[in-house]
Amino acid sequence: MWVHRWVMRLPLVAWCMIAAGLLMAIVRISFDATADGFLTNNWSFENWRVVATTERYTNAVVTSIVGSIFVATLALGVALPAGRWLALHVNPIISRFVLPLLAIPYCGSYVLRLFSIQPWLSGESYFGIVQRLFSLHHDILYTAQATFVGQLSVLIPLLCSFCYFAYVRIPSPVLYAAQNLGVRGGRLFWHLELPLAAPLLLSGWVFAFAFTLGDAVAPFVLGGGNPPTAAVAVLDRTQIGDWPSAAAIALELIAGLMLPLFFLLWIWRVRR
Amino acid sequence: MTAVRLGSAVLLFAILVAAGAPLLADLQHVYAASGQNPIVTGTLSSVDFYAPIKASVIVSVLATLLALLWSSVPAWLLASMPAKAILAALAFPVLIPPIVVAYSFAVGIRLLGLQPSLATLVVALSFLTTPVCIFVLRHGFQTLDADTLAAGRNLGVGRSRLFRFVVVPHVAKSVALGLFAGMTLCWSDFYFSWFLGGLNQTISTKVYSAASTSITPQIVVLASIGALIAAVLVFAALQYSTVTERDQ
């Protein structure tokens, strides 16, 4: 019987082994060096030293983490009221048609979407009219703001659906009971809705954070590589064949992801 | 209170407009271009135009089927046990930035001495899709009524017939949801195709490489087709999802 049980578990074990193997492969290759386009097994810390001491790379990692926290928080802040309204006040039949629309920016062609936004931010199109209207002569294309606009254009609709699902899971009788007891507005939101919706909202935030942290397309197409981000650095290094340095930066990205994750878990435990 | 509701409604409307505006702008470009050159007859009949669509379809379908096949047994196992830690571990690669996961696969196949191809891309994307399929199938298996199975066994129905006539019809909805959700995930992928696709370009990598130089009407048409199919997949997945049903 136990043999049968272990055979059944094999796919799960295989999946975990692949995941661990991939991580080990990055760690292994980060200690290599490249010579004439080939990897040499020399187990040196040179890549780590270069990545940790070169200002360009340290700035890229810090910029990525700070920018990702900013974008994820802003996207969730904007998406929350819209998602809440969609879940609580819109007919479910209509919401079923609205939800796919919200997912299109993420699931559709993200790459072309960014190229479509490019002329808008260069002052040639509608955004230029708004800029002239408010006497803003600052061209935001190829700046960090343009990158944020591109990422937010995808994340806000997507997080709207996260917020929708978070609110749909709250049982209606609980909300009605609270309203009958006279709890409304801010108190209802803070003491009832937010704690009940928090798991999915936090998942949405983490998803948005991970998406922004690993996004290399928007910083390249809209940001013009200015300021440099860690994901762009990974793409750049692999394109010139420097896989070991790219591995070291990728591992720093994973470490950068872990910091807010552990912080969020700590907050969650303290709150509980 | 009414002002808050009105503000939220306006905000949602603005988000929907902002989400759809670039797509409409693309279609406007296509319409404008179609008046100047025979885009429908010229573009749509070229082999170069269909190759990325074909590659995307093959990759997304095969990767999702492989993931469904691979995840069915773990999902069945996990359905009957409290598996919070295992599920959290499964979700972990989904939370890691895709560029890092795709890069790690590229490193892995490089270390194994393999060349990037459609096969490596299918295997890598099935790995990415597996957690989604496990979550969806596990939910399907969990809702399976144990009494129905017990009744079937008491009536002398064999394992294979029980599986065919009770289990499969019950989880068919979850399988369909897993299929559409997985295909959507694979369809919109960029980094895996970039690192692992080799010379075979999917829609996203084709659009990226071509649009880096200039955005032609052909590329806009290609991307619009990609976005349209993605929308259809999302819509189909939501039809099989029970998440949108409000708790009563």
Side-chain angles (χ1 to χ4, degrees):
Chain A
M1 189 63 192
W2 64 270
V3 176
H4 177 247
R5 193 172 274 184
W6 274 105
V7 169
M8 293 276 276
R9 282 180 190 170
L10 268 179
L12 202 63
V13 174
W15 193 89
C16 293
M17 280 176 72
I18 291 174
L22 289 174
L23 193 66
M24 296 315 292
I26 305 188
V27 174
R28 171 71 192 85
I29 211 168
S30 70
F31 291 104
D32 278 351
T34 43
D36 301 327
F38 293 99
L39 296 173
T40 55
N41 304 327
N42 61 350
W43 286 100
S44 108
F45 281 91
E46 183 58 21
N47 300 311
W48 286 92
R49 193 191 62 75
V50 170
V51 169
T53 54
T54 310
E55 201 183 339
R56 182 182 158 81
Y57 295 136
T58 48
N59 280 349
V61 173
V62 172
T63 309
S64 297
I65 294 171
V66 174
S68 305
I69 291 172
F70 171 72
V71 169
T73 311
L74 187 61
L76 188 62
V78 176
L80 186 58
R84 181 184 179 277
W85 187 79
L86 184 65
L88 299 182
H89 303 294
V90 175
N91 188 319
I93 297 167
I94 298 172
S95 355
R96 276 193 169 238
F97 286 95
V98 172
L99 282 171
L101 289 177
L102 292 173
I104 286 174
Y106 177 75
C107 299
S109 182
Y110 174 55
V111 178
L112 190 97
R113 185 182 177 80
L114 295 180
F115 279 108
S116 318
I117 292 174
Q118 209 179 35
W120 289 30
L121 300 181
S122 67
E124 292 170 16
S125 187
Y126 309 113
F127 197 76
I129 298 168
V130 176
Q131 278 180 321
R132 282 191 287 280
L133 203 66
F134 292 98
S135 307
L136 298 170
H137 300 293
H138 177 56
D139 190 358
I140 71 162
L141 187 63
Y142 302 133
T143 61
Q145 291 97 308
T147 308
F148 293 156
V149 169
Q151 289 164 340
L152 285 172
S153 76
V154 171
L155 287 174
I156 290 174
L158 188 72
L159 287 188
C160 260
S161 49
F162 266 85
C163 298
Y164 170 85
F165 290 133
Y167 269 92
V168 157
R169 287 163 66 97
I170 301 175
S172 310
V174 176
L175 291 176
Y176 294 145
Q179 282 165 358
N180 284 340
L181 290 168
V183 184
R184 285 176 194 281
R187 279 187 71 200
L188 181 71
F189 174 75
W190 189 250
H191 293 291
L192 191 77
E193 291 177 6
L194 203 57
L196 288 173
L200 256 179
L201 295 183
L202 277 180
S203 310
W205 188 90
V206 170
F207 184 84
F209 175 77
F211 173 85
T212 319
L213 193 67
D215 182 25
V217 185
F220 174 72
V221 175
L222 299 176
N226 179 37
T229 61
V232 172
V234 171
L235 269 191
D236 285 348
R237 299 318 296 175
T238 47
Q239 275 179 343
I240 60 165
D242 186 5
W243 289 69
S245 298
I249 302 167
L251 285 171
E252 281 194 354
L253 263 181
I254 296 177
L257 178 72
M258 291 302 113
L259 287 173
L261 268 185
F262 283 126
F263 181 65
L264 277 177
L265 278 175
W266 179 73
I267 289 179
W268 189 245
R269 282 177 74 105
V270 167
R271 194 179 157 78
R272 285 182 82 182
Chain B
M1 200 63 189
T2 315
V4 175
R5 280 190 191 180
L6 190 68
S8 303
V10 171
L11 185 63
L12 179 67
F13 183 71
I15 289 169
L16 281 172
V17 169
L23 202 65
L24 290 176
D26 295 342
L27 292 174
Q28 189 196 346
H29 288 154
V30 176
Y31 180 72
S34 64
Q36 293 158 10
N37 55 34
I39 188 166
V40 177
T41 51
T43 307
L44 298 185
S45 61
S46 72
V47 178
D48 192 39
F49 180 82
Y50 280 112
I53 298 177
K54 193 178 159 190
S56 289
V57 170
I58 289 172
V59 164
S60 53
V61 171
L62 286 184
T64 312
L65 287 178
L66 194 64
L68 276 173
L69 197 71
W70 200 6
S71 55
S72 54
V73 177
W76 171 260
L77 276 176
L78 292 172
S80 55
M81 60 166 98
K84 231 174 179 177
I86 298 174
L87 290 176
L90 282 174
F92 193 66
V94 182
L95 288 176
I96 289 181
I99 188 171
V100 177
V101 185
Y103 172 73
S104 64
F105 261 102
V107 168
I109 64 164
R110 203 182 157 97
L111 289 179
L112 290 173
L114 299 170
Q115 288 297 319
S117 64
L118 274 188
T120 54
L121 183 57
V122 166
V123 172
L125 280 175
S126 75
F127 174 82
L128 184 76
T129 320
T130 298
V132 177
C133 292
I134 288 181
F135 285 129
V136 171
L137 290 181
R138 180 178 178 261
H139 183 256
F141 286 130
Q142 269 183 333
T143 53
L144 196 61
D145 188 16
D147 292 340
T148 315
L149 289 176
R153 276 194 214 105
N154 284 341
L155 290 168
V157 181
R159 269 191 177 185
S160 57
R161 284 191 73 198
L162 204 63
F163 180 78
R164 193 176 152 196
F165 292 109
V166 179
V167 178
V168 170
H170 187 84
V171 296
K173 209 173 168 183
S174 299
V175 172
L177 173 60
L179 186 72
F180 287 121
M183 277 174 67
T184 312
L185 207 66
C186 298
W187 186 263
S188 55
D189 159 71
F190 169 73
Y191 297 108
F192 278 77
S193 312
W194 182 261
F195 279 109
L196 300 161
L199 296 172
N200 305 287
Q201 287 186 315
T202 57
I203 291 180
S204 51
T205 46
K206 174 79 179 171
V207 167
Y208 182 77
S209 345
S212 300
T213 48
S214 67
I215 300 178
T216 59
Q218 285 84 354
I219 290 303
V220 174
V221 173
L222 188 64
S224 302
I225 290 173
L228 194 68
I229 293 175
V232 171
L233 286 172
V234 173
F235 189 76
L238 282 172
Q239 297 314 302
Y240 290 101
S241 166
T242 52
V243 189
T244 51
E245 286 167 14
R246 190 154 172 74
D247 294 336
Q248 293 301 321

Coordinates of all heavy atoms in Angstrom, one line a residue, chain B residues 165-233:
Chain B
F165 N -17.6 7.0 -15.1 CA -19.0 7.5 -15.1 C -19.4 8.4 -13.9 O -20.4 9.1 -13.9 CB -20.0 6.3 -15.1 CG -20.0 5.5 -16.4 CD1 -19.4 4.3 -16.4 CD2 -20.5 6.1 -17.5 CE1 -19.4 3.6 -17.6 CE2 -20.5 5.4 -18.7 CZ -19.9 4.1 -18.8
V166 N -18.5 8.5 -12.9 CA -18.8 9.4 -11.8 C -17.7 10.5 -11.6 O -18.1 11.7 -11.6 CB -18.8 8.5 -10.4 CG1 -19.1 9.5 -9.3 CG2 -19.9 7.5 -10.5
V167 N -16.5 10.1 -11.6 CA -15.4 11.0 -11.4 C -15.2 12.0 -12.5 O -15.3 13.2 -12.4 CB -14.1 10.4 -11.0 CG1 -13.0 11.4 -10.8 CG2 -14.2 9.5 -9.8
V168 N -15.1 11.4 -13.7 CA -14.8 12.2 -14.9 C -15.9 13.3 -15.2 O -15.6 14.5 -15.4 CB -14.5 11.4 -16.2 CG1 -14.5 12.2 -17.4 CG2 -13.2 10.6 -16.0
P169 N -17.2 12.9 -15.2 CA -18.3 13.9 -15.4 C -18.2 15.0 -14.4 O -18.5 16.1 -14.7 CB -19.6 13.1 -15.4 CG -19.2 11.7 -15.7 CD -17.8 11.5 -15.1
H170 N -17.9 14.6 -13.1 CA -17.9 15.6 -12.1 C -16.8 16.6 -12.2 O -17.0 17.8 -12.0 CB -17.8 14.9 -10.7 CG -18.0 15.8 -9.6 ND1 -19.2 16.2 -9.1 CD2 -17.1 16.5 -8.8 CE1 -19.1 17.1 -8.1 NE2 -17.8 17.3 -7.9
V171 N -15.6 16.1 -12.6 CA -14.4 17.1 -12.7 C -14.3 17.7 -14.1 O -13.3 18.4 -14.3 CB -13.1 16.4 -12.2 CG1 -13.2 16.0 -10.8 CG2 -12.8 15.2 -13.1
A172 N -15.2 17.3 -15.0 CA -15.0 17.9 -16.4 C -15.0 19.4 -16.4 O -14.2 20.0 -17.1 CB -16.2 17.4 -17.2
K173 N -15.8 20.0 -15.5 CA -15.9 21.5 -15.5 C -14.5 22.0 -15.0 O -14.0 23.0 -15.6 CB -16.9 21.9 -14.5 CG -17.6 23.2 -14.8 CD -18.7 23.4 -13.9 CE -19.2 24.9 -13.9 NZ -20.3 25.2 -13.0
S174 N -13.9 21.4 -14.0 CA -12.6 21.8 -13.5 C -11.5 21.6 -14.6 O -10.6 22.4 -14.7 CB -12.2 21.1 -12.3 OG -13.2 21.3 -11.3
V175 N -11.6 20.5 -15.3 CA -10.6 20.2 -16.4 C -10.7 21.3 -17.4 O -9.7 21.9 -17.9 CB -10.8 18.8 -17.0 CG1 -10.0 18.6 -18.2 CG2 -10.6 17.8 -16.0
A176 N -12.0 21.7 -17.8 CA -12.1 22.7 -18.8 C -11.6 24.1 -18.3 O -10.9 24.8 -19.1 CB -13.6 22.9 -19.1
L177 N -11.8 24.4 -17.0 CA -11.3 25.6 -16.5 C -9.8 25.6 -16.5 O -9.2 26.6 -16.9 CB -11.9 25.8 -15.0 CG -11.3 26.9 -14.2 CD1 -11.6 28.3 -14.9 CD2 -11.9 27.0 -12.8
G178 N -9.2 24.5 -16.0 CA -7.8 24.3 -16.0 C -7.2 24.5 -17.4 O -6.2 25.1 -17.6
L179 N -7.9 23.9 -18.4 CA -7.4 24.0 -19.8 C -7.4 25.4 -20.3 O -6.4 25.9 -20.8 CB -8.3 23.1 -20.7 CG -7.9 23.0 -22.1 CD1 -6.7 22.1 -22.3 CD2 -9.1 22.4 -23.0
F180 N -8.5 26.1 -20.1 CA -8.6 27.5 -20.6 C -7.6 28.5 -19.8 O -7.0 29.3 -20.4 CB -10.0 28.0 -20.5 CG -10.9 27.4 -21.6 CD1 -12.0 26.7 -21.3 CD2 -10.6 27.5 -22.9 CE1 -12.8 26.1 -22.3 CE2 -11.3 27.0 -23.9 CZ -12.5 26.2 -23.6
A181 N -7.6 28.3 -18.5 CA -6.7 29.1 -17.7 C -5.3 28.9 -18.0 O -4.5 29.8 -18.2 CB -6.9 28.8 -16.2
G182 N -4.9 27.6 -18.2 CA -3.5 27.3 -18.6 C -3.2 27.8 -19.9 O -2.1 28.4 -20.2
M183 N -4.1 27.7 -20.9 CA -3.8 28.2 -22.2 C -3.7 29.7 -22.3 O -2.8 30.2 -23.0 CB -5.0 27.7 -23.2 CG -4.8 26.3 -23.7 SD -6.1 25.7 -24.7 CE -6.1 26.8 -26.1
T184 N -4.5 30.4 -21.4 CA -4.3 31.8 -21.3 C -3.0 32.2 -20.8 O -2.3 33.1 -21.4 CB -5.4 32.4 -20.4 OG1 -6.7 31.8 -20.7 CG2 -5.5 33.9 -20.5
L185 N -2.5 31.5 -19.8 CA -1.2 31.7 -19.2 C -0.1 31.5 -20.2 O 0.8 32.4 -20.4 CB -1.0 30.8 -18.0 CG -0.1 31.2 -16.9 CD1 -0.7 32.4 -16.2 CD2 0.1 30.1 -15.9
C186 N -0.2 30.4 -21.0 CA 0.9 30.1 -22.0 C 0.8 31.1 -23.2 O 1.8 31.5 -23.7 CB 0.7 28.7 -22.5 SG 0.9 27.5 -21.2
W187 N -0.4 31.4 -23.5 CA -0.6 32.3 -24.7 C 0.0 33.7 -24.5 O 0.6 34.2 -25.5 CB -2.2 32.4 -25.0 CG -2.5 33.2 -26.2 CD1 -2.8 34.5 -26.3 CD2 -2.5 32.6 -27.5 NE1 -3.1 34.8 -27.7 CE2 -2.9 33.6 -28.4 CE3 -2.3 31.3 -28.1 CZ2 -3.0 33.5 -29.8 CZ3 -2.5 31.1 -29.4 CH2 -2.8 32.2 -30.3
S188 N -0.1 34.2 -23.3 CA 0.4 35.6 -23.1 C 1.8 35.6 -22.6 O 2.4 36.7 -22.3 CB -0.5 36.3 -22.0 OG -0.5 35.5 -20.9
D189 N 2.5 34.4 -22.6 CA 3.9 34.4 -22.1 C 4.8 35.1 -23.1 O 4.7 35.0 -24.3 CB 4.3 33.0 -21.9 CG 5.8 32.8 -21.9 OD1 6.4 33.3 -21.0 OD2 6.4 32.3 -22.9
F190 N 5.8 35.8 -22.5 CA 6.8 36.4 -23.4 C 8.2 35.9 -23.0 O 9.0 35.5 -23.9 CB 6.8 37.9 -23.2 CG 8.0 38.6 -23.8 CD1 8.1 38.7 -25.2 CD2 9.0 39.2 -23.0 CE1 9.2 39.4 -25.8 CE2 10.1 39.8 -23.6 CZ 10.2 39.9 -24.9
Y191 N 8.6 35.9 -21.7 CA 9.9 35.6 -21.3 C 10.4 34.1 -21.6 O 11.5 33.9 -22.1 CB 10.1 35.8 -19.8 CG 9.9 37.3 -19.5 CD1 8.8 37.7 -18.8 CD2 10.8 38.3 -19.9 CE1 8.6 39.0 -18.5 CE2 10.6 39.6 -19.6 CZ 9.5 40.0 -18.9 OH 9.3 41.3 -18.6
F192 N 9.4 33.2 -21.4 CA 9.8 31.8 -21.7 C 10.0 31.6 -23.2 O 11.0 31.0 -23.6 CB 8.6 30.8 -21.3 CG 8.7 30.5 -19.8 CD1 8.2 31.4 -18.9 CD2 9.2 29.3 -19.4 CE1 8.2 31.1 -17.6 CE2 9.2 29.0 -18.0 CZ 8.7 29.9 -17.1
S193 N 9.2 32.3 -24.0 CA 9.4 32.2 -25.5 C 10.7 32.8 -25.9 O 11.4 32.4 -26.8 CB 8.2 32.9 -26.2 OG 7.0 32.4 -25.7
W194 N 11.0 33.9 -25.2 CA 12.2 34.7 -25.5 C 13.5 33.8 -25.3 O 14.4 33.8 -26.1 CB 12.3 36.0 -24.7 CG 13.4 36.8 -25.0 CD1 14.6 36.9 -24.3 CD2 13.6 37.7 -26.1 NE1 15.4 37.8 -24.9 CE2 14.9 38.3 -26.0 CE3 12.8 38.1 -27.2 CZ2 15.3 39.3 -26.9 CZ3 13.3 39.0 -28.1 CH2 14.5 39.6 -28.0
F195 N 13.5 33.2 -24.1 CA 14.7 32.4 -23.7 C 14.7 31.0 -24.2 O 15.8 30.5 -24.5 CB 14.7 32.3 -22.1 CG 15.3 33.5 -21.5 CD1 14.5 34.4 -20.7 CD2 16.7 33.9 -21.6 CE1 15.0 35.5 -20.1 CE2 17.2 35.0 -20.9 CZ 16.3 35.8 -20.2
L196 N 13.6 30.4 -24.4 CA 13.5 29.0 -24.7 C 13.0 28.6 -26.1 O 13.1 27.5 -26.5 CB 12.7 28.2 -23.7 CG 13.2 28.4 -22.2 CD1 12.1 28.0 -21.3 CD2 14.4 27.5 -22.0
G197 N 12.4 29.6 -26.8 CA 11.8 29.3 -28.1 C 12.8 29.0 -29.2 O 12.4 28.5 -30.2
G198 N 14.0 29.5 -29.0 CA 15.0 29.4 -30.1 C 14.6 30.2 -31.3 O 14.2 31.3 -31.2
L199 N 14.6 29.6 -32.5 CA 14.3 30.3 -33.7 C 12.8 30.4 -33.9 O 12.3 31.1 -34.8 CB 14.9 29.7 -34.9 CG 16.5 29.7 -34.9 CD1 17.0 28.9 -36.0 CD2 17.0 31.1 -35.0
N200 N 12.0 29.5 -33.2 CA 10.6 29.5 -33.3 C 9.9 30.7 -32.6 O 10.0 30.7 -31.3 CB 10.0 28.2 -32.8 CG 10.6 27.0 -33.5 OD1 10.4 26.7 -34.6 ND2 11.5 26.4 -32.7
Q201 N 9.4 31.7 -33.3 CA 8.9 32.8 -32.6 C 7.4 32.7 -32.3 O 6.6 32.3 -33.3 CB 9.1 34.1 -33.4 CG 10.6 34.5 -33.4 CD 10.8 35.8 -34.1 OE1 10.2 36.0 -35.2 NE2 11.5 36.7 -33.5
T202 N 7.0 32.9 -31.1 CA 5.5 33.0 -30.8 C 5.0 34.4 -31.1 O 5.8 35.3 -31.5 CB 5.2 32.6 -29.4 OG1 6.0 33.5 -28.5 CG2 5.7 31.2 -29.0
I203 N 3.7 34.6 -30.9 CA 3.2 36.0 -31.2 C 3.9 37.1 -30.5 O 4.3 38.1 -31.0 CB 1.7 36.0 -31.0 CG1 0.9 35.1 -31.9 CG2 1.1 37.4 -31.1 CD1 -0.6 35.1 -31.8
S204 N 4.1 36.8 -29.1 CA 4.7 37.9 -28.3 C 6.1 38.2 -28.7 O 6.5 39.4 -28.8 CB 4.6 37.6 -26.8 OG 5.1 36.3 -26.6
T205 N 6.9 37.2 -29.0 CA 8.3 37.5 -29.3 C 8.4 38.1 -30.7 O 9.3 38.9 -31.0 CB 9.2 36.2 -29.2 OG1 8.5 35.1 -29.9 CG2 9.5 35.8 -27.8
K206 N 7.5 37.6 -31.6 CA 7.5 38.2 -33.0 C 7.2 39.7 -32.9 O 7.9 40.5 -33.6 CB 6.5 37.4 -33.8 CG 6.3 38.0 -35.2 CD 7.4 37.5 -36.1 CE 7.1 38.1 -37.6 NZ 8.3 37.8 -38.4
V207 N 6.2 40.0 -32.1 CA 5.7 41.4 -32.0 C 6.9 42.2 -31.4 O 7.2 43.3 -31.9 CB 4.5 41.5 -31.1 CG1 4.2 42.9 -30.7 CG2 3.3 40.9 -31.9
Y208 N 7.5 41.7 -30.4 CA 8.6 42.4 -29.7 C 9.8 42.7 -30.7 O 10.3 43.8 -30.8 CB 9.1 41.6 -28.5 CG 10.2 42.3 -27.7 CD1 9.9 43.3 -26.8 CD2 11.5 42.0 -27.8 CE1 10.9 44.0 -26.1 CE2 12.5 42.6 -27.1 CZ 12.2 43.6 -26.2 OH 13.2 44.2 -25.5
S209 N 10.2 41.6 -31.4 CA 11.3 41.8 -32.3 C 11.0 42.8 -33.4 O 11.8 43.6 -33.8 CB 11.8 40.5 -32.9 OG 11.3 39.4 -32.2
A210 N 9.8 42.6 -34.0 CA 9.4 43.4 -35.1 C 9.1 44.9 -34.7 O 9.6 45.8 -35.4 CB 8.2 42.9 -35.8
A211 N 8.4 45.0 -33.6 CA 8.0 46.4 -33.2 C 9.2 47.2 -32.6 O 9.1 48.4 -32.5 CB 6.9 46.3 -32.1
S212 N 10.3 46.5 -32.3 CA 11.5 47.3 -31.8 C 12.1 48.1 -32.9 O 12.7 49.2 -32.7 CB 12.6 46.3 -31.4 OG 12.1 45.5 -30.4
T213 N 11.9 47.7 -34.2 CA 12.3 48.5 -35.3 C 11.2 49.5 -35.8 O 11.4 50.7 -35.8 CB 12.8 47.7 -36.5 OG1 11.8 46.7 -36.7 CG2 14.1 47.0 -36.1
S214 N 10.1 48.9 -36.2 CA 9.0 49.8 -36.6 C 7.6 49.0 -36.4 O 7.6 47.8 -36.7 CB 9.1 50.3 -38.0 OG 9.0 49.2 -38.9
I215 N 6.6 49.7 -36.0 CA 5.3 49.1 -35.9 C 4.6 49.1 -37.2 O 4.1 50.2 -37.7 CB 4.4 49.7 -34.8 CG1 5.2 49.7 -33.5 CG2 3.1 49.1 -34.7 CD1 4.5 50.3 -32.3
T216 N 4.5 48.0 -37.9 CA 3.9 47.9 -39.2 C 2.4 47.4 -39.0 O 2.1 46.9 -38.0 CB 4.6 46.9 -40.1 OG1 4.6 45.6 -39.4 CG2 6.0 47.3 -40.4
P217 N 1.5 47.7 -40.0 CA 0.2 47.2 -39.9 C 0.1 45.7 -39.7 O -0.8 45.2 -38.9 CB -0.5 47.6 -41.2 CG 0.4 48.7 -41.7 CD 1.7 48.5 -41.2
Q218 N 1.0 44.9 -40.3 CA 1.0 43.5 -40.1 C 1.2 43.1 -38.7 O 0.5 42.2 -38.1 CB 2.1 42.9 -40.9 CG 1.9 42.8 -42.4 CD 2.2 44.1 -43.1 OE1 2.6 45.1 -42.5 NE2 2.1 44.1 -44.4
I219 N 2.1 43.8 -38.0 CA 2.4 43.5 -36.6 C 1.2 43.9 -35.7 O 0.8 43.2 -34.8 CB 3.7 44.3 -36.1 CG1 4.9 43.7 -36.8 CG2 3.8 44.2 -34.6 CD1 5.1 42.2 -36.5
V220 N 0.5 45.0 -36.1 CA -0.7 45.4 -35.3 C -1.8 44.3 -35.5 O -2.4 44.0 -34.5 CB -1.1 46.8 -35.8 CG1 -2.4 47.2 -35.1 CG2 -0.1 47.8 -35.5
V221 N -1.9 43.8 -36.7 CA -2.9 42.8 -36.9 C -2.6 41.6 -36.1 O -3.5 41.0 -35.5 CB -3.0 42.5 -38.5 CG1 -3.9 41.3 -38.7 CG2 -3.5 43.6 -39.2
L222 N -1.3 41.2 -36.1 CA -0.9 40.0 -35.4 C -1.2 40.1 -33.9 O -1.7 39.2 -33.3 CB 0.6 39.8 -35.7 CG 1.2 38.5 -35.1 CD1 0.6 37.3 -35.9 CD2 2.7 38.5 -35.3
A223 N -0.8 41.3 -33.4 CA -1.0 41.5 -31.9 C -2.5 41.6 -31.6 O -2.9 41.1 -30.5 CB -0.3 42.8 -31.5
S224 N -3.3 42.2 -32.5 CA -4.7 42.3 -32.3 C -5.3 40.9 -32.2 O -6.2 40.6 -31.4 CB -5.4 43.1 -33.3 OG -4.8 44.4 -33.4
I225 N -4.9 40.0 -33.2 CA -5.4 38.6 -33.2 C -5.0 37.9 -31.8 O -5.8 37.3 -31.2 CB -4.8 37.9 -34.4 CG1 -5.5 38.4 -35.7 CG2 -5.1 36.3 -34.2 CD1 -4.9 37.8 -36.9
G226 N -3.8 38.2 -31.4 CA -3.3 37.6 -30.1 C -4.2 38.0 -29.0 O -4.6 37.2 -28.1
A227 N -4.4 39.4 -28.9 CA -5.2 39.9 -27.8 C -6.7 39.4 -27.9 O -7.3 39.1 -26.8 CB -5.2 41.4 -27.9
L228 N -7.2 39.2 -29.1 CA -8.6 38.8 -29.2 C -8.7 37.3 -28.8 O -9.7 37.0 -28.0 CB -9.0 38.9 -30.7 CG -10.5 38.7 -31.0 CD1 -11.2 39.9 -30.5 CD2 -10.7 38.6 -32.5
I229 N -7.8 36.5 -29.2 CA -7.8 35.1 -28.7 C -7.6 35.0 -27.2 O -8.3 34.2 -26.6 CB -6.7 34.2 -29.5 CG1 -7.1 34.2 -31.0 CG2 -6.6 32.8 -28.9 CD1 -6.1 33.5 -31.8
A230 N -6.8 35.8 -26.7 CA -6.6 35.8 -25.2 C -7.9 36.2 -24.5 O -8.3 35.6 -23.5 CB -5.5 36.8 -24.8
A231 N -8.6 37.2 -25.1 CA -9.9 37.6 -24.5 C -10.9 36.5 -24.5 O -11.6 36.2 -23.5 CB -10.4 38.8 -25.2
V232 N -10.9 35.8 -25.6 CA -11.8 34.6 -25.8 C -11.5 33.5 -24.7 O -12.4 33.0 -24.1 CB -11.8 34.0 -27.2 CG1 -12.6 32.7 -27.3 CG2 -12.3 35.1 -28.2
L233 N -10.2 33.3 -24.6 CA -9.8 32.2 -23.6 C -10.2 32.6 -22.2 O -10.6 31.8 -21.4 CB -8.2 32.0 -23.7 CG -7.7 31.3 -24.9 CD1 -6.2 31.3 -25.0 CD2 -8.2 29.8 -24.9

